[in-house]
């Protein structure tokens, strides 16, 4: 059976998009439960200014409190050199930097143009590699931008090439607002495959319109073998009230296992971990 790599991003992408601020101890328990469920890559938190994302202001405390399971990669998202220093001080195994394929999202999310963000990231990537940690490079809005609308696949390919030239170890393509369909995912990959093999990319799907699993199916046919997801689809979407957040890990795992792929993850245990953290802010319990 072929292994599909899944990065659990619920503690970071999920919890950053929930209105409630989850207590650090509940975040720690969540991360520990995800590792126990078989997740081998967990994006634990981010090191961004608390005024931008107050939900994750306790990232250092969480990283220092979790029980490190050998073989599990614990990572953090960092926007700049200061964020990288914070993450390295907590002994992360990997960091993720992020840029966008659209000007509107780049300015709103990172307070800089696409060019400015690439300039800002160059020394961050260099320093991370010098420190010996793996660097993931996210590119957001690879299908559509909440401010600029549809994004041309050629623009995504151009930004992907620039991120790779900066020395990232892996490119993660983000459908930030869950606008993708199997056809637009395929069109995006048709352009991006001129700069990197689909099998060397990660696909990061949000499930705003419920199309994420069908996009996974098409991506698998194209050769993609790595995906991001969040337990119980944590996260919602600030641009689509009531919508689910990232693709739910347990749904992804069940769909993959049903089609004969292997993930090493226990879907029920992931769903329980998600329900447990949701119980701290959502009296209705988990979604998955
Ligand atoms: P800025 O406001 O232009 O930054 O933000 P600045 O350098 O002018 O600093 C402003 C203040 O923040 C200063 O403090 C700095 O010291 C402090 P003050 O003088 O006002 O007291 N500061 C920091 N504090 C803590 N940690 C730091 C840090 N850096 C500066 N690292 C910046 C620019 C890039 C920092 C900001 O725009 C930012 O962090 N944006 C990120 C917002 C965010 O986290 N978005 C969500 C993550 S991306 C995502 O979810 C997409 C993804 O899932 C993929 C997909 O779905 O597409 C990855
Ligand atoms: Mg995301």
């Amino acid at each position: 059976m072929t292994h599909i790599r899944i990065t659990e991003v619920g503690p970071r992408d999920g919890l950053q998009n929930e209105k409630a601020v989850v207590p650090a101890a509940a975040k720690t328990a969540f991360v520990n439960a995800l590792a126990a469920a078989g997740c081998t890559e967990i994006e634990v938190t981010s090191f961004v200014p608390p005024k931008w994302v107050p939900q994750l202001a306790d990232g250092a405390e969480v990283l220092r409190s979790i029980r490190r399971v050998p073989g599990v990669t614990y990572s953090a998202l960092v926007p700049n050199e200061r964020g990288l220093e914070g993450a390295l001080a907590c002994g992360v195994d990997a960091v993720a930097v992020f840029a966008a394929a659209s000007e509107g999202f780049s300015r709103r999310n990172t307070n800089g143009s696409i060019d400015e963000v690439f300039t800002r990231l160059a020394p961050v990537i260099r320093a991370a590699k010098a420190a010996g940690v793996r660097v993931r490079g996210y590119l957001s809005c690879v299908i559509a931008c909440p401010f600029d609308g549809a994004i041309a696949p050629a623009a995504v390919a151009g930004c992907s090439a620039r991120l790779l030239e900066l020395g990232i170890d892996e490119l993660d393509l983000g459908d930030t607002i869950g606008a993708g369909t199997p056809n637009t995912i395929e069109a995006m990959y048709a352009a991006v495959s001129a700069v990197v093999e689909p099998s060397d990319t990660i696909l990061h799907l949000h499930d705003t319109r419920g199309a994420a699993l069908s996009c996974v199916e098409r991506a698998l046919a194209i050769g993609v073998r790595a995906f991001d997801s969040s337990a119980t689809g944590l996260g919602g979407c600030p641009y689509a009230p009531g919508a689910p957040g990232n693709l739910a890990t347990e749904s992804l795992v069940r769909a993959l296992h049903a089609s004969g792929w292997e993930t090493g993850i226990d879907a029920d245990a992931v769903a329980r971990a998600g329900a447990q953290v949701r119980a701290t802010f959502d009296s209705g319990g988990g979604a998955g």
Side-chain angles (χ1 to χ4, degrees):
M1 280 196 292
T2 305
H3 181 76
I4 301 296
R5 205 182 134 197
I6 294 179
T7 303
E8 168 62 48
V9 296
R12 195 280 302 170
D13 206 358
L15 296 186
Q16 84 179 9
N17 282 313
E18 295 291 349
K19 275 199 201 77
V21 179
V22 171
K27 288 174 176 153
T28 301
F30 182 35
V31 173
N32 288 340
L34 291 166
C39 298
T40 52
E41 296 187 59
I42 306 175
E43 201 167 274
V44 176
T45 190
S46 67
F47 285 83
V48 307
K51 75 172 181 211
W52 283 77
V53 183
Q55 293 92 331
L56 301 183
D58 55 5
E61 185 184 347
V62 175
L63 270 166
R64 291 205 169 101
S65 309
I66 53 180
R67 196 173 48 247
R68 299 283 179 107
V69 174
V72 175
T73 298
Y74 297 93
S75 65
L77 190 79
V78 301
N80 53 19
E81 286 177 285
R82 175 156 170 198
L84 175 67
E85 282 163 23
L88 291 177
C90 295
V92 292
D93 303 303
V95 293
V97 297
F98 49 108
S102 73
E103 287 294 349
F105 192 75
S106 184
R107 288 182 189 282
R108 303 281 186 109
N109 192 45
T110 43
N111 201 21
S113 67
I114 293 175
D115 283 350
E116 284 164 348
V117 169
F118 279 120
T119 303
R120 187 190 290 157
L121 292 183
V124 181
I125 296 167
R126 265 199 309 275
K129 298 203 63 136
V133 301
R134 199 169 167 76
V135 183
R136 162 175 295 198
Y138 280 108
L139 186 65
S140 288
C141 299
V142 300
I143 303 294
C145 168
F147 311 107
D148 300 351
I151 301 301
V156 178
C159 288
S160 298
R162 290 177 72 181
L163 262 179
L164 288 162
E165 278 159 21
L166 289 181
I168 58 167
D169 295 298
E170 54 187 21
L171 174 68
D172 192 322
L173 299 162
D175 178 12
T176 315
I177 54 169
T181 64
N183 287 348
T184 54
I185 291 288
E186 185 167 344
M188 184 270 291
Y189 268 110
V192 169
S193 58
V195 296
V196 58
E197 289 295 329
S199 55
D200 289 335
T201 69
I202 302 151
L203 185 59
H204 175 104
L205 295 165
H206 287 252
D207 202 20
T208 319
R209 298 181 190 174
L213 271 183
S214 52
C215 291
V216 166
E217 200 179 325
R218 186 70 63 90
L220 287 165
I222 292 165
V224 179
R225 295 291 178 264
F227 299 92
D228 295 340
S229 58
S230 83
T232 66
L234 274 168
C237 173
Y239 315 109
N246 293 86
L247 168 59
T249 305
E250 63 276 20
S251 306
L252 174 63
V253 166
R254 286 180 189 129
L256 289 168
H257 291 182
S259 302
W261 306 92
E262 179 266 317
T263 67
I265 295 175
D266 177 339
D268 293 340
V270 164
R272 281 196 299 276
Q276 216 162 12
V277 77
R278 277 179 184 278
T280 64
F281 60 84
D282 175 5
S283 54

